[in-house]
Each structure stands twice: as C-alpha cells, then as structure tokens.
Amino acid sequence: MSALFDVILPVFLVVGFGYLVCWRGMLSEVAVDGVMRFAQNFAVPVLLFSAMAKLDLGANFNPLLLISFYAGAFLSFGLGLSAAYYWLKRPLEDSIAIGFVCLFSNSLLLGIPITERAYGPDALEGNFTIIAIHSPMLYTFGITLMEFARARGQNLSVGRVALRALSGVLHTPLVIGILSGLTMNLLIQAGLVMPEGFWGAVDMMARAALPSALFGLGGVLYRYRPEGEMRAILICCAASLIVHPAVAFGLAKLFGLSVAEIRSSVVTASMAPGVNAYLFAALYGVAKRVAASAVLLATALSILTIWFWLSVLP
C-alpha cells in the first residue's frame, strides 16, 4: 500500500492537477500546448542530453536488458496490429497506428519519476539505457512501416521511403537530445571539459522537465475522452499494461538480470502508452480516436497495474 501512496500517487497527482486545471477552464488549450511544447521540445531533450552525456556507456548497455524490454514491446505491437487488421478489419494504416500505441510505452514522463520515487535516483541507469534507443528505434520502425503502407501502388523506391522515415526521426527533438548527449559523452571521454556554469544551466532545465511535462500531460489528456471503438482501445490497454511488462519480467528472470536491471525493464514496460503514440496517429490522420482514448484510459488503469508490478518486483 505504501508504494501506491508514496511512489505512484505523487506522480499522478501532478498529472491530475493539470487535468483539473484544464477541466475547470483555468488554462486554455493554447497555454497547455505551450507548456507541452516547452517540455517536449526543450526541457525533456535537455534532460535526455544530460543523462546520455553522463551515462557510463560501457557499463550500462547490457543487450539482455534491451532484449527483455523490447521483445515485449514488439510482441505487443504485433498483437495490436494483427488484432486490428484481421479481427477488427481495420485498414492497414489504422492497424499500424493501433500497433504503435501498443508499442510505445511512456518510458520517460511516467517511467522515470516512478522508478526514481520507488528506488532512488541511482536506479535510473537502466531506464536511460532503454530510453537511449526508445524514440529513435521505435519512431524509425513505426514511420518506416507507415510510409511503406502509404507508398503501396506508388513508384517509390525502398531507399526513398527509408530516407523519408529517417529524416522524420532525426528532426524529433527527443532524438536530437539523445544524439547530442551521446556526442557529448564521447567528447568528454576524449578529454573535453565543460565549465561548471554549463552543467549548472543544463541541470536547471533538466529539473523543469518532468514537472512541466507531467502537468502538461494532464492538460492534454483532458481533451481525449474515451468514446467508441472500445474493442480496439481495450486491445491497446491489454497489450501495453499486461503483455509488455509480463514478457519483460519473464525474460529478465530468464536472462538472470540484476535486481536494478529487472526493475528498470519491468517498471518501464508497465507504463501506459505515451502521448507520442497519439501524435504518431495524428501525424498520419489514422486511428486518432482509438489512440487518444487508449492513452487516456491506459494512463488511468496503469495506477493499479504499476502498483501490482512494484509489489512483485524485488
């Protein structure tokens, strides 16, 4: 019970505060968009830059940790896409977007603060190892599939479609933050010394990232009322909240990962789909209602599922 009140509740209270403020009309949609734009385009990329710059690459990039997390993610994607396409008879583009909702867990805005509150700031290395390739790999995967689906019947080469997908990924602020941080990491290892004032400014921006992003997330979620297409929405919730963390837990145990790695893998996998899953659907104008409703409903349900996994984990 203490995990629910001491770890999970504070994070979701910040999200709920943003939801309440928008529900009562104290903040306009334009203002919420401004908060989220600041968080996602500036503060969170700086947080990722700082984490990647300071990460011990040799010690923390355990391929078995990544396999335990991403095997469940891609299995969830396959289940979501297959169920949408073969069972619900949705168009291929819709099915890819629904699969992407099952694939893209909220590893950063929810996974980081909950892991930190549960196990302390020193427990985040595994989380940042997962996050280092999360957005680049999953966006590349999702955009590439969608571009190939949309290119059916057109005379577009494989190289051109892949280049279009890669260009879209490289223009993502989160990916820019990750790649910049990894570059800084290599420069530091080569002997570069940055002044303390630089890191002081980076830390100030990084500290603003999660509170502003969680508050803005609540405001954004207020717009997305669950409505219709409940079978597709429940598929997304089941894949992201049950299948993904269960697979991550089973593989982490099978691989004999350390306690810290098991925590990072399973807690991150147990997060609800992120708002970026909706943004992906909105980018292509497909399955937007399913994506938005699934993000909102799964975020609410994840309070209980996260509590369960925190009670199971060592």
Side-chain angles (χ1 to χ4, degrees), residues 178-190:
I178 291 169
L179 295 179
S180 299
L182 292 175
T183 302
M184 177 61 74
N185 191 307
L186 296 176
L187 291 174
I188 291 172
Q189 292 185 37

Side-chain angles (χ1 to χ4, degrees), residues 86-284:
Y86 293 107
W87 181 40
L88 302 181
K89 307 300 182 183
R90 301 290 294 251
L92 180 58
E93 290 85 348
D94 280 27
S95 301
I96 292 172
I98 291 170
F100 194 82
V101 174
C102 302
L103 172 73
F104 204 97
S105 56
N106 199 336
S107 60
L108 183 62
L109 301 190
L110 294 180
I112 290 294
I114 287 176
T115 303
E116 183 175 15
R117 292 195 63 83
Y119 306 116
D122 293 337
L124 294 177
E125 290 184 346
N127 292 59
F128 283 120
T129 300
I130 292 169
I131 290 170
I133 64 171
H134 191 259
S135 290
M137 181 170 69
L138 299 190
Y139 270 126
T140 301
F141 175 76
I143 291 174
T144 300
L145 283 185
M146 189 66 81
E147 291 295 341
F148 274 112
R150 298 180 72 188
R152 289 175 301 167
Q154 303 179 28
N155 293 322
L156 293 177
S157 66
V158 172
R160 186 174 179 182
V161 174
L163 185 63
R164 182 190 299 176
L166 182 62
S167 175
V169 171
L170 292 178
H171 284 84
T172 305
L174 300 181
V175 175
I176 293 171
I178 291 169
L179 295 179
S180 299
L182 292 175
T183 302
M184 177 61 74
N185 191 307
L186 296 176
L187 291 174
I188 291 172
Q189 292 185 37
L192 177 67
V193 178
M194 298 299 293
E196 285 300 317
F198 171 81
W199 292 114
V202 168
D203 289 341
M204 288 176 65
M205 283 288 290
R207 285 196 298 270
L210 293 180
S212 60
L214 289 172
F215 179 85
L217 175 62
V220 171
L221 289 177
Y222 171 68
R223 304 176 192 174
Y224 305 147
R225 288 92 167 159
E227 52 180 353
E229 303 183 90
M230 283 305 298
R231 290 185 299 175
I233 295 168
L234 291 176
I235 288 169
C236 294
C237 293
S240 59
L241 299 181
I242 300 173
V243 175
H244 190 181
V247 172
F249 182 74
L251 290 179
K253 286 289 191 179
L254 179 65
F255 295 152
L257 298 184
S258 68
V259 170
E261 290 172 331
I262 293 174
R263 289 169 174 172
S264 292
S265 177
V266 177
V267 171
T268 307
S270 67
M271 295 301 115
V275 171
N276 285 335
Y278 166 74
L279 296 178
F280 177 84
L283 175 66
Y284 290 100

Side-chain angles (χ1 to χ4, degrees), residues 287-306:
K288 292 191 294 183
R289 186 166 64 178
V290 171
S293 298
V295 169
L296 177 58
L297 183 59
T299 300
L301 292 175
S302 68
I303 296 175
L304 298 177
T305 57
I306 293 167

